[in-house]
Amino acid sequence: TDPMLIFEQAREGRRAAAQAPERPTRVPALPEAFRRRKRPALPEVSELQAVRHYTRLSQLNFSIDTHFYPLGSCTMKYNPRGCHAVASEPGFAERHPLAPSTTGQGMMACLHELQDWLTAITGMGDTSLAAMAGAQGEFCGVAMIMAWHAGRGDHQRNEILVPDAAHGTNPATAALCGCTVREIPTGPDGDVDMGALHEALGPRTAGIMLTNPSTVGVFERRIREMADAVHAAGGLLYYDGANLNAILGRVRPGDMGFDVMHLNLHKTFSTPHGGGGPGAGAVCVSERLRPYLPVPQVAREPDGRFRWLQEGDRPHTIGRLSAFGGNIGVLLRAWAYTRMLGREGLPRVADYATLNANYLMARLQAEGFQVAYPERRASHEFVLTLKSEARELGVTALDFSKALLDHGIHAPTMYFPMLIPECLLIEPTETESLAELDAFVAAMVAIREAARRDPEQVRGAPYRLPVRRLDEVRAARQPDLAWRPEAAPDP
Amino acid sequence: TDPMLIFEQAREGRRAAAQAPERPTRVPALPEAFRRRKRPALPEVSELQAVRHYTRLSQLNFSIDTHFYPLGSCTMKYNPRGCHAVASEPGFAERHPLAPSTTGQGMMACLHELQDWLTAITGMGDTSLAAMAGAQGEFCGVAMIMAWHAGRGDHQRNEILVPDAAHGTNPATAALCGCTVREIPTGPDGDVDMGALHEALGPRTAGIMLTNPSTVGVFERRIREMADAVHAAGGLLYYDGANLNAILGRVRPGDMGFDVMHLNLHKTFSTPHGGGGPGAGAVCVSERLRPYLPVPQVAREPDGRFRWLQEGDRPHTIGRLSAFGGNIGVLLRAWAYTRMLGREGLPRVADYATLNANYLMARLQAEGFQVAYPERRASHEFVLTLKSEARELGVTALDFSKALLDHGIHAPTMYFPMLIPECLLIEPTETESLAELDAFVAAMVAIREAARRDPEQVRGAPYRLPVRRLDEVRAARQPDLAWRPEAAPDP
Amino acid sequence: MPFIPHTEAEVRRMLEVIGVRHLDALFDEIPAALRAPPPQGVPEGLPEMAVRRIARRRAAQDRQPVSFLGAGCYEHHIPAAVWQIAARGEFYSAYTPYQAEASQGTLQVIYEFQSMLSALTGLAVSNASLYDGATATAEAALMAVRQRRRDAAHRVLVPHTLHPLYRRVLSTLLAPQGIELTLLDYDPDQGHLPEHALEGVSGGFDALLLPQPNFLGVLEPVDTLTRAAQARGALVIGVVNPIALARLAPPGEWGEAGADIACGEGQPLGIPMSSGGPGFGFLTCRRPLMRQLPGRLVGRTVDLDGKPGYTLTLQAREQHIRRGRATSNICTNQGLMATAATLYLALLGPDGLERVADCCLARTHALVEALTGLPGVQSALRGPHFHEAVLRLDRPVAPVLQALEDHGILGGHDLSADYPELGNALLVCATEMRDEVDIEYYRDSLAAVLNTRPDPVPSP
Amino acid sequence: MPFIPHTEAEVRRMLEVIGVRHLDALFDEIPAALRAPPPQGVPEGLPEMAVRRIARRRAAQDRQPVSFLGAGCYEHHIPAAVWQIAARGEFYSAYTPYQAEASQGTLQVIYEFQSMLSALTGLAVSNASLYDGATATAEAALMAVRQRRRDAAHRVLVPHTLHPLYRRVLSTLLAPQGIELTLLDYDPDQGHLPEHALEGVSGGFDALLLPQPNFLGVLEPVDTLTRAAQARGALVIGVVNPIALARLAPPGEWGEAGADIACGEGQPLGIPMSSGGPGFGFLTCRRPLMRQLPGRLVGRTVDLDGKPGYTLTLQAREQHIRRGRATSNICTNQGLMATAATLYLALLGPDGLERVADCCLARTHALVEALTGLPGVQSALRGPHFHEAVLRLDRPVAPVLQALEDHGILGGHDLSADYPELGNALLVCATEMRDEVDIEYYRDSLAAVLNTRPDPVPSP
């Protein structure tokens, strides 16, 4: 029984909801010119039909609440249900953004604490919670770097260095900020190629964007040396917080020499990813970048009251990133999570995320799988390369990924970082149990055995999901992006 | 992947929940004699394991929110989500039952309205909301009838008449009240056999328990005549509200001559059934039985304030049915539902429940299926008999039921009422759409066709559910009713 | 039309298939005299928005003060996951799991529930829940009488220390079957039954009810009394608090043989108080009593392919099969509440449950210590108590409670009506939800009340 | 250890498999100098109970007065089903649907979302959401500049009547790319752009932003302006309120050809206000602009068996493929909010959405009528307004709003900082959540405030 679209279940004239208010008796007339002539093609379904449809659709998803989800670089760990309850408190959820701060002291107290905690955790000088996702945090970071150079009259610096294994958002962000991107290669040991770095640095260097542990799952051991070199060349260092879970409460980006960073609260601080957001991309800076922080930010007055700092309070700010104060409902979840973990719980995250990754790596190696950097410790994640399986069995990383779905395990991140052939980036996170890790190993071994018996069978996976492999070429060549009423052309 | 038991996922020493309070620093010593020596064998799992386990288990259920559920006599209709929100209001959900009534005026206002509305809807004289389910409502009703006879010094009346097609709770209740049960046969037209009724009535008759429309899905046309006969014989009439959905707002049991009745708020008033409750069994009485109503009940004082009536206020009460005030969270849901439907919405329930049942019956008849009372109108439900299919194809009502599950439709009530061979009692309810009804007919036709091709295949259904048919004989002969730690004997 | 999906065109088509012209025709078998107009006593329908607004206004006016009330219903922390999951549509909107193949979720949850309640009480078999603690106690008594069959004395011993409201429910439900309830006196100094309580009971009886802790919060000498009752051929029924069982000896280990049956109120296990309901009653027993159990039972079995699965079982005990000879008339129970309790126990585990119990114990003792430090307040009973306790005031309790209400405090339950022999007695309780600040606030408020309102009403 | 499932025995076993003795050894590649002690600035961990209690106390102190604030964020009724379903774990705790086969739920919901937003705005293609209305407007402007390629003037026309906060976000996001924002003046008597607004604009420009209704609640002459802008080769971007679109002509029908792009804030569609976020931005466009769209897109396709299914598509626009040449750096969007909006629109349908819009329209007009009946209060603008309106007071707005706060009223948004030319101007809004009683209460309170506090501060 295929799920029909909600539109296909609709019938014109159906009015089976108690959801709409009563039609007012007297509606002021809108001038004819402004009026909509035809009703929008929204579905007319009963309340039960809507509830049933979306309840059933939800069941088609893999999610943390239902499946192991070792998606590398995404930190898919348990999202505590208590955090959702906190953000749903009517006093928080129903507050208008432009209501006076007298009505928001409770919410602001939480955000102010979160700012302070994130500053302490990262070893930086100050924190703004304004960015609505990691990519916006990155934008902030690069914009602040550029503002700092501009503030010193240093207008020629418009080059951002990025390791070749970096997340795609890094170069995209640099471009958004009007910078050019220069890629730095990764050395054979997984660390950045220091020679290439030194070569790239110069009077046009605005800064470098890095994550540490890096996207290949290892800790950049010479990070202090890199920081010194970049700073000596007049550039600043940006820390991409995507991998912070690996070192949370153990190592502080501020101590490594970074000037600015973002945190993905929907990764490290366990706010839910919601099938694609909302996230939050808190930005932390060293003292020298503080004047450029985006607005608003929560400040505590000498009398203990909280208020929003606005453009007037921060004349050098890079500006405003959203109409209001950011994804506050997400921030409240991160506040609750951090408050539950506490000082002693934060390093435990890093410890057990690292333990799980290294255990899984060791077991897979023992089973004969090849990891990308066998001489290195895994951080919270590691890269497996299936190039020999691809060569010998004709079964690729993609095929393994799809076959894992049939085992009830979400696929790891595939084909990233791009420099490693046939790779899977595997991040188990600290909230998964030993039993889940062992089940993953068993599944990988079973898939390899199946591939030895019948590679075609594995190439056809998945078989047990709501759909089999989808025709992505067709999706892109003949884009069908919206349902239309029968025979209706594009509007 | 079979769902494991939560116990099988446990490991001793696991402490991965933020759910428990901190251990107090100083715990008063309990005298040794009272102390538990061994921890109870509760599972030790992480918060994520618990969330994942129960989320996945939930997905194994059929439910109104996911499937058409035409379970006869159970009125499985849409449970509005707004009602759940109402009952979850912290002011309602967090009130202690022994808190003074000054702190419960809002809740009591709702219950008082609900009492009044149910009284108006049923055409009776007063309502108590104390009964926690239909069966408790039945107990109340018969107990009140007995109390009334006793109050008049009429101690010989201990016989309760019950139609042979009645719900099993009716005779069970009569027995609980110390009465003997006398069954009255159903006539060939589906109505009670009037001759047999007259014959049964006499000086030992305490009363009769009936539902109308009856359990065979038709309206007892001579109900007034029956009421007159029972009253003339000195008995009282009890109305089992299980089928009230068929006549809600259209016909009032009080007008039919009933003296006492219960309502299943979890059927007609759409509070959820929760996989087996909680329900609520409001009891409505005519004026003469009012002194016997169970306590507590909400009263409105002349100054407009509400308070609980207790034993002291109702010296003739049959007593108290629960420690506190009944299933108040359920009652609040019924309050919200009734308020949303309103005066004009109540009869619509009966109209469309009846329309759906008669349409489905007509379509199935047109497809060649046999109904038990083809000359009669269906009420909100009707009985299909598959005796010819059983005889000719060797495929029973049970087989059809299991095969329906594979079509994504919950089975109707099977083999009830018992007097009709190979029967299905089908109740579509008013909240299902025409498309769902047509899909039911199509599934029935498809199953019959499959049975003609290959009866064995149908006898093996279901195939697409989490389990196939279960060995119920083994379940009853070797009862395994609780998990035990490895090798642990029964305690 | 809220909730009704039919369009006008569909209705026309359906009527045509049925072969009638109007909806009214479908009611043509109902005598015209019986048809009624829409009920005028019910107001007009309102959209969800308006109804929720009314409810919210009313609920806001019911917001609770700081409460030290226990007395059978307890304010515990409910982990957010409990109801976020229990309220999922697949649990919330399913029926009783008659079709096992389509109900494995509910059935496995209930099997786990049964296992957990069995583990907590130390008895082999648990049912799938009953209405509440009081009705579960009544059903337990009926079980005992049934079990004794020909030997039955139709008499049950009920301690005075059993919850007074439970005693009233027992009267309501047992009287129609001619079962006599004999009240057992307690020692008003200790607050529990004397060890030799049964010596004064002449004649046979079928069961002894044993609350632990009892309504006054005090621990009963359950071992001695279990031995004594069983020696006289009667069954012992423990009426227990499931949170306290984390620390108290389970009924299955009382005396030598253990109690025969245990029952109680499950509300403390993750269920909001909701003015008293819905909670759930639990009922467990030794295996030989299994066929006397009322209510649903879930069993583990295998399917046609040999795969494990769950189903309702031993239904021959129940009303829909055995009708007038069923063990009870119960049908719908409190399934969703049992689901919530299962989630609660899984989330807490044995260690977490112990912590909750320890907190309750510690906080109630701290409360007693704080309040009895005030002049005019003393501890009323000498027996060991668990997470409730009785205080005796130097003046009537009711006006004191009323005065505390003005301080935003629900000070406890006034015992003077049910236990006049205890004098001006007040039952207080502090769960893990009452912290040091709350307790201090109670002490200070009570001090203020006792000073400023010197006994305005003469003692009754 | 909250959230961490490892037992000590398991940790030992795992370390053994790895071949190290202590957890610390796993960090041996990290230079010792970099290792830090646990962050002292963070307090000790607390159980869920304690954290929720703190949150509840803080949230209770934030409870909202009766609000007449709109200004880009609106208090609408949210059907209970919306979040009871959107918060289901399968939606709530899933990642971006990279593995299509394991994400059909989210993918189909987003496809339906795209279809609904496309229907509402009358434009063929919708993306899967952006951060908020302001960033969506910035992305729309960037799209227009990209689309014009070699012809691009790197200049966008921004009406003064566009939300002031949106204008600030545009500056932040567009300035680094060297895009010039030219402010278009409005008619302060009418409250909207003059029909000939573009005549005074010399030189080329890539896009005209057209808010409808505008920030002042007034309707812009969108047909004329769309024609004028398109005649000069520029793209037209409608910035619209999705609730108002139930009644207002959709951007796709403005002028002759229709606007090219529409965007706006989705919060009114079933999302709580939450002090402004998370909501979501929506962005739709004509089909030829499809490859300029930023953000996720879901497409319908078929699987190996020919069965329909859904997948992320046209990813070549995105940062993870195109990196520095992507249409945007956006990655995570506001998926769960889009899910909630889809539920909201499905539950309301076209008729329900019209009712909401009509109520907003009617209530705001009733509010204006009620308040302008008071001396010293007048309607400030003559243009037709939808569900917000500007009032002019006879004294400064701020002290009046502060006085209203004492009556439990949030009286609206003070415009004097952003629109000083309007004098003592106040932007008010009444959605379906404000009934006659609320409006009457506002009127009476305002009357009291205006009488009792005669202009205590001199006008600036």
Side-chain angles (χ1 to χ4, degrees), chain C residues 233-255:
Chain C
L235 281 76
V236 170
I237 299 168
V239 185
V240 289
N241 177 314
I243 297 279
L245 285 181
R247 284 299 188 193
L248 295 180
E253 295 174 14
W254 293 355

Short mmCIF file of all heavy atoms in Angstrom, two decimals, chain C residues 233-255:
data_model
loop_
_atom_site.label_atom_id
_atom_site.label_comp_id
_atom_site.label_asym_id
_atom_site.label_seq_id
_atom_site.Cartn_x
_atom_site.Cartn_y
_atom_site.Cartn_z
N GLY C 233 -5.45 -20.58 57.46
CA GLY C 233 -6.03 -20.99 56.18
C GLY C 233 -6.46 -19.85 55.29
O GLY C 233 -7.05 -20.07 54.24
N ALA C 234 -6.20 -18.64 55.73
CA ALA C 234 -6.63 -17.49 54.93
C ALA C 234 -5.53 -17.06 53.98
O ALA C 234 -4.36 -17.42 54.14
CB ALA C 234 -7.00 -16.33 55.85
N LEU C 235 -5.93 -16.29 52.99
CA LEU C 235 -4.95 -15.73 52.07
C LEU C 235 -4.54 -14.34 52.56
O LEU C 235 -5.32 -13.64 53.21
CB LEU C 235 -5.53 -15.61 50.66
CG LEU C 235 -5.56 -16.92 49.85
CD1 LEU C 235 -6.69 -17.82 50.31
CD2 LEU C 235 -5.69 -16.62 48.36
N VAL C 236 -3.33 -13.96 52.22
CA VAL C 236 -2.84 -12.64 52.59
C VAL C 236 -2.70 -11.79 51.33
O VAL C 236 -2.13 -12.22 50.32
CB VAL C 236 -1.49 -12.74 53.33
CG1 VAL C 236 -0.86 -11.35 53.50
CG2 VAL C 236 -1.70 -13.40 54.69
N ILE C 237 -3.26 -10.60 51.43
CA ILE C 237 -3.26 -9.68 50.29
C ILE C 237 -2.49 -8.43 50.70
O ILE C 237 -2.92 -7.69 51.59
CB ILE C 237 -4.71 -9.29 49.92
CG1 ILE C 237 -5.49 -10.54 49.51
CG2 ILE C 237 -4.71 -8.22 48.83
CD1 ILE C 237 -6.99 -10.31 49.39
N GLY C 238 -1.36 -8.20 50.05
CA GLY C 238 -0.58 -6.99 50.32
C GLY C 238 -1.11 -5.84 49.49
O GLY C 238 -1.32 -5.98 48.28
N VAL C 239 -1.34 -4.70 50.16
CA VAL C 239 -1.76 -3.49 49.45
C VAL C 239 -0.59 -2.53 49.53
O VAL C 239 -0.31 -1.98 50.59
CB VAL C 239 -3.02 -2.89 50.09
CG1 VAL C 239 -3.52 -1.71 49.26
CG2 VAL C 239 -4.11 -3.95 50.23
N VAL C 240 0.11 -2.37 48.41
CA VAL C 240 1.44 -1.76 48.47
C VAL C 240 1.60 -0.58 47.52
O VAL C 240 0.88 -0.44 46.54
CB VAL C 240 2.52 -2.82 48.15
CG1 VAL C 240 2.63 -3.82 49.29
CG2 VAL C 240 2.20 -3.55 46.84
N ASN C 241 2.58 0.26 47.88
CA ASN C 241 2.94 1.40 47.04
C ASN C 241 4.15 0.98 46.20
O ASN C 241 5.18 0.58 46.73
CB ASN C 241 3.30 2.59 47.95
CG ASN C 241 3.76 3.79 47.15
OD1 ASN C 241 4.56 3.69 46.24
ND2 ASN C 241 3.22 4.95 47.50
N PRO C 242 4.03 1.08 44.87
CA PRO C 242 5.08 0.53 44.01
C PRO C 242 6.42 1.25 44.14
O PRO C 242 7.47 0.64 43.91
CB PRO C 242 4.51 0.68 42.59
CG PRO C 242 3.48 1.75 42.69
CD PRO C 242 2.93 1.67 44.08
N ILE C 243 6.40 2.54 44.48
CA ILE C 243 7.67 3.25 44.66
C ILE C 243 8.36 2.73 45.92
O ILE C 243 9.57 2.47 45.93
CB ILE C 243 7.43 4.77 44.77
CG1 ILE C 243 6.83 5.33 43.48
CG2 ILE C 243 8.73 5.49 45.16
CD1 ILE C 243 7.79 5.60 42.37
N ALA C 244 7.57 2.56 46.99
CA ALA C 244 8.16 2.08 48.24
C ALA C 244 8.75 0.69 48.08
O ALA C 244 9.70 0.32 48.78
CB ALA C 244 7.09 2.09 49.34
N LEU C 245 8.21 -0.08 47.13
CA LEU C 245 8.72 -1.44 46.93
C LEU C 245 10.18 -1.47 46.47
O LEU C 245 10.83 -2.51 46.54
CB LEU C 245 7.85 -2.21 45.94
CG LEU C 245 6.51 -2.69 46.48
CD1 LEU C 245 5.75 -3.46 45.41
CD2 LEU C 245 6.70 -3.57 47.72
N ALA C 246 10.68 -0.34 46.01
CA ALA C 246 12.11 -0.31 45.67
C ALA C 246 12.94 -0.60 46.91
O ALA C 246 14.06 -1.10 46.81
CB ALA C 246 12.48 1.05 45.09
N ARG C 247 12.41 -0.29 48.08
CA ARG C 247 13.16 -0.45 49.32
C ARG C 247 12.53 -1.43 50.30
O ARG C 247 13.23 -1.97 51.17
CB ARG C 247 13.29 0.91 50.02
CG ARG C 247 14.33 1.81 49.37
CD ARG C 247 15.71 1.17 49.43
NE ARG C 247 16.77 2.08 49.00
CZ ARG C 247 18.01 1.68 48.73
NH1 ARG C 247 18.34 0.41 48.83
NH2 ARG C 247 18.91 2.54 48.35
N LEU C 248 11.22 -1.64 50.19
CA LEU C 248 10.54 -2.51 51.16
C LEU C 248 10.48 -3.95 50.65
O LEU C 248 10.38 -4.19 49.44
CB LEU C 248 9.11 -2.02 51.41
CG LEU C 248 8.99 -0.65 52.08
CD1 LEU C 248 7.52 -0.28 52.27
CD2 LEU C 248 9.71 -0.65 53.43
N ALA C 249 10.50 -4.86 51.60
CA ALA C 249 10.40 -6.28 51.24
C ALA C 249 9.12 -6.49 50.42
O ALA C 249 8.05 -6.01 50.80
CB ALA C 249 10.36 -7.14 52.49
N PRO C 250 9.23 -7.19 49.31
CA PRO C 250 8.05 -7.38 48.46
C PRO C 250 7.08 -8.37 49.08
O PRO C 250 7.51 -9.28 49.81
CB PRO C 250 8.65 -7.93 47.16
CG PRO C 250 9.92 -8.58 47.57
CD PRO C 250 10.44 -7.81 48.75
N PRO C 251 5.80 -8.23 48.82
CA PRO C 251 4.80 -9.14 49.39
C PRO C 251 5.16 -10.60 49.17
O PRO C 251 4.93 -11.43 50.06
CB PRO C 251 3.52 -8.77 48.63
CG PRO C 251 3.71 -7.33 48.27
CD PRO C 251 5.18 -7.15 48.04
N GLY C 252 5.76 -10.92 48.05
CA GLY C 252 6.12 -12.31 47.77
C GLY C 252 7.12 -12.88 48.76
O GLY C 252 7.35 -14.09 48.78
N GLU C 253 7.71 -12.02 49.60
CA GLU C 253 8.66 -12.51 50.59
C GLU C 253 8.19 -12.31 52.03
O GLU C 253 8.97 -12.49 52.96
CB GLU C 253 10.03 -11.82 50.38
CG GLU C 253 10.65 -12.19 49.05
CD GLU C 253 11.93 -11.42 48.74
OE1 GLU C 253 12.48 -10.79 49.65
OE2 GLU C 253 12.34 -11.45 47.58
N TRP C 254 6.94 -11.92 52.20
CA TRP C 254 6.43 -11.73 53.57
C TRP C 254 6.27 -13.08 54.27
O TRP C 254 5.84 -14.06 53.65
CB TRP C 254 5.09 -11.01 53.56
CG TRP C 254 5.18 -9.57 53.09
CD1 TRP C 254 6.31 -8.88 52.78
CD2 TRP C 254 4.08 -8.69 52.85
NE1 TRP C 254 5.99 -7.61 52.37
CE2 TRP C 254 4.62 -7.45 52.41
CE3 TRP C 254 2.69 -8.80 52.97
CZ2 TRP C 254 3.81 -6.35 52.09
CZ3 TRP C 254 1.89 -7.72 52.66
CH2 TRP C 254 2.46 -6.50 52.23
N GLY C 255 6.55 -13.10 55.55
CA GLY C 255 6.36 -14.33 56.33
C GLY C 255 7.23 -15.43 55.77
O GLY C 255 8.35 -15.18 55.31
#
